[in-house]
Amino acid sequence: MTTPARIAVLASGRGSNLQCLLDGIAAGRLDAQIVGVFSDKPGASALDKVPAESRWARSPKDFASREAFDEALGDAVAASAPDWVVCAGYMRILGAGFVQRFNGRLVNIHPSLLPLHKGLHTHARAIEAGDGEHGASVHFVIPELDAGAVLAQARVPVLPADTAESLAARVLAVEHPLLLASVQLLASGRVAEQDGRVLLDGQFLFNPLRLDSAGALQF
Ligand code: GRF
C-alpha cells in the first residue's frame, strides 16, 4: 500500500471545496490526506473543517509587505511537507516567490472555462459576454494570474434567466466533483507540469480533461 498523497489547502472563505475533498477522503474516493489548511483570513469558515493543529491563518495586514506574508505562508505550507498545494477558494494573489517555491505542485480551481474570464466576477462576466457555456477549471499556478496550464474543466449551460448568483450555484455544483476527481488524479502520481504544459501518464495534454455527468474525468 502506498502512502496517501499529502495535500495542503489554501482557502479564504467558506471552504465548500475543501469539504468536498474531506468527504472524498472519508468515503474512500480520494487517496490523500489534508496536511494543513492555510488562510489569509483568520475568520474563514474553511479553517473550522480541520483540527486546530492543522490550521494556519494570518492577516496580511500584520506583515510589512506582500513578500513577507508570502514567505510566512510558504514557510508554514512547507512545514506541512505537502506533495501538492491546492488553492480552493484562496482569494489573494500569490506572489512569484511563493509560486516558484511550490512550482509544479501548486494548483488552483477557478470558476470559469479558462482562458476565458480570468480574475474576479466570472459569473457576471460570462452572462454579459453572452456565453452559452460556463464552468470551472483546475489549473497549475504560475505568476501570471489564472494563466497556468489547465488540467481539467467542468462545463454547465448558461440559461436565459440566469443571474450571477444562479449561475454561480450551478458552477459550484460541478466544481466539487471536478476538484475531487482532479486531486485524485494528482494524488495518483500520473500528472506533472513540464514547460508550462500538463503531462498525463508521460504524454502532453492537448486539451483539458473534461468532467462527465457521472463526475469522472474523460481521458
Ligand atoms: C469557488 O467558486 C472557487 O472557485 C472560487 O471561490 C469559491 C470558493 O468556494 N475561487 P468555497 O470557499 O470552496 O466554498
Side-chain angles (χ1 to χ4, degrees), residues 128-144:
E128 271 163 34
D131 295 349
E133 274 190 318
H134 186 43
S137 304
V138 173
H139 66 94
F140 281 91
V141 176
I142 62 172
E144 190 187 336

Side-chain angles (χ1 to χ4, degrees), residues 32 40 54 79 82 133 139 159 169 174:
D40 60 328
S54 306
E133 274 190 318
H139 66 94
L159 303 179
V174 296

Side-chain angles (χ1 to χ4, degrees), residues 5 43-44 49 56 75-76 80 98 101 107 117 138 153 179 182:
K49 299 181 183 298
W56 182 95
D75 287 348
S80 73
F98 186 96
R101 194 166 175 181
V107 297
H117 311 309
V138 173
Q153 291 181 324
L179 187 65
S182 299

